[in-house]
Amino acid sequence: MRHLDEYRDPALILRQAEAIRAACTRRWTLMEVCGGQTHAILRHGLDDLLAGSVELLHGPGCPVCVTPTETLDQAVLLTRRREVMLCTFGDMLRVPGALGDLNAARAAGGDVRVIYSPLDAVALAREHPQREVVLLAVGFETTAPAAAIAVLQAEALGLPNLSLLVSHSLVPPAMEALLTDPDHRIQGFLAAGHVCTVEGAAAYQAIAEHFGVPIVVTGFEPVDLLAGIRACVEQLERGEARVENRYDRAARDDGNVAARDTVSRVFEPEEREWRGMGRLPASGLGLRPAYARFDAVARFGIAAPATGADGPCIAGEVLRGLRRPTECPAFGRECTPDTPLGAPMVSSEGACAAYLHYRGGA
């Protein structure tokens, strides 16, 4: 199949769903890690098609949603400095922190620029040598290579006015944290295909072996997702627990070696706070000492205030697959896209936004 429409073919979708139901001798509980997959599942009603045979939990695979409040507040504090031009992706503008969001910061006079690539920040630093350009660098393994290239380009160009507020997160440590939670119900994972195009499917093998859960790499269209679910169910029915790549048109076992080498040249693993999940060891990326001069936190000496929970918001439990958005007492009431209490309601990959958009809050 070479065309997108074929991955949405209704006949193929129904055949795959029937094959999954036929393969199940019991009800299995799987988690999709990626927020993009969550949206596709709800948009195409795959969870309803498989009801009674497979329960799908929604995981923490939304980089905007897991960006810690501290980072958001540091970004807001930076916008209050007249010399700073803060660059960020558009879906970060309305994520609430203790000090408000970046949209409000921009309305208050902060210079907040929406970019489409970290390299746009490099271009702005060249165009505005008198300004301090700060890149809010968020995302998983998929966006880290571009941030690393931005640092390398700034170094090659001798740009003294570019720095990074880094909040890059790594998926495998989060999966391990989910599986060590005594309350988890995860029997198998659907791994995000785009992360594996960089990281490689083999990165999950140790998790599958240690925890005894199958991990199937899959894509984002309904036929892709159902193929991944079917492969995961078939492993569970056979008592297997291994990594299987069902997105081999894009992802390979070894991933993108050049991209990983670029990331490891600039960044190194470090403990990272995940909003709703706490501090996870080796789950984030920080600048290596050789590139410490690009660290915005050190350059500007910014420290955000300590924050507590997001009021009645249960985003942390939603991100861990313990509860669904509709179980939140604020869902669709106090918490809406216009008045969000948590990041999953405003992110384009957030589970709360998906339920409100595709299920009308049901």
Side-chain angles (χ1 to χ4, degrees):
M1 293 185 289
R2 295 189 299 274
H3 302 99
L4 182 62
D5 288 347
E6 296 179 25
Y7 291 96
R8 299 177 180 177
D9 182 274
L12 284 176
I13 291 170
L14 292 175
R15 283 204 296 271
Q16 284 275 32
E18 178 56 36
I20 292 166
R21 290 192 293 267
C24 291
T25 59
R26 50 162 293 183
R27 192 169 186 247
W28 297 104
T29 303
L30 312 181
M31 173 179 278
E32 82 278 357
V33 181
C34 173
Q37 292 176 336
T38 299
H39 275 250
I41 286 167
L42 293 171
R43 176 185 178 186
H44 297 283
L46 304 187
D47 53 338
D48 289 337
L49 274 178
L50 301 177
S53 299
V54 176
E55 180 184 5
L56 294 169
L57 305 177
H58 316 308
C62 163
V64 174
C65 302
V66 301
T67 299
T69 300
E70 179 185 17
T71 300
L72 295 164
D73 290 342
Q74 288 171 330
V76 169
L77 289 173
L78 282 169
T79 67
R80 297 175 182 176
R81 302 180 70 114
R82 296 183 64 179
E83 75 273 23
V84 168
M85 177 191 300
L86 185 82
C87 299
T88 184
F89 299 124
D91 55 0
M92 295 299 300
L93 291 179
R94 299 187 59 250
V95 181
L99 300 179
D101 61 31
L102 289 172
N103 236 3
R106 183 162 63 174
D111 190 351
V112 180
R113 307 288 180 99
V114 174
I115 59 171
Y116 297 94
S117 164
L119 298 182
D120 294 340
V122 177
L124 287 168
R126 293 186 71 183
E127 294 169 12
H128 302 276
Q130 77 284 5
R131 304 292 303 281
E132 287 285 346
V133 177
V134 179
L135 169 64
L136 176 53
V138 301
F140 296 130
E141 291 90 338
T142 47
T143 56
I149 291 172
V151 170
L152 295 175
Q153 281 201 2
E155 180 185 48
L157 294 167
L159 295 177
N161 62 326
L162 179 74
S163 59
L164 276 66
L165 179 56
V166 182
S167 188
H168 281 300
S169 304
L170 304 174
V171 173
M175 293 170 67
E176 293 183 35
L178 290 168
L179 291 169
T180 56
D181 186 333
D183 295 324
H184 89 83
R185 298 187 295 115
I186 304 163
Q187 296 169 303
F189 277 111
L190 303 179
H194 55 357
V195 170
C196 292
T197 61
V198 176
E199 194 66 14
Y204 299 101
Q205 190 59 49
I207 299 174
E209 292 174 358
H210 179 75
F211 292 98
V213 296
I215 301 174
V216 179
V217 179
T218 187
F220 308 90
E221 296 300 329
V223 172
D224 283 324
L225 286 160
L226 289 169
I229 293 168
R230 181 177 179 180
C232 204
V233 164
E234 289 174 347
Q235 280 198 50
L236 288 166
E237 290 285 343
R238 295 192 298 265
E240 298 176 358
R242 56 187 174 82
V243 177
E244 188 171 345
N245 184 8
R246 286 303 179 100
Y247 195 54
D248 57 3
R249 70 179 185 275
R252 300 193 304 249
D253 286 348
D254 60 349
N256 187 323
V257 177
R260 287 204 311 277
D261 287 347
T262 300
V263 170
S264 64
R265 179 178 168 185
V266 175
F267 298 110
E268 60 185 359
E270 66 176 17
E271 184 178 74
R272 173 73 63 196
E273 176 80 17
W274 287 56
R275 191 169 186 170
M277 295 184 66
R279 299 192 71 84
L280 306 181
S283 66
L285 294 174
L287 289 161
R288 289 188 178 275
Y291 298 96
R293 63 190 180 279
F294 291 99
D295 183 358
V297 173
R299 180 176 296 190
F300 298 99
I302 46 174
T307 58
D310 295 325
C313 176
I314 63 166
E317 293 171 273
V318 172
L319 291 168
R320 299 198 304 275
L322 301 178
R323 297 174 74 181
R324 297 193 180 277
T326 49
E327 297 177 54
C328 178
F331 176 79
R333 298 177 181 87
E334 298 96 328
C335 184
T336 69
D338 292 328
T339 58
L341 297 180
M345 182 58 81
V346 292
S347 170
S348 60
E349 295 187 10
C352 298
Y355 270 80
L356 198 65
H357 183 74
Y358 297 114
R359 300 292 164 84

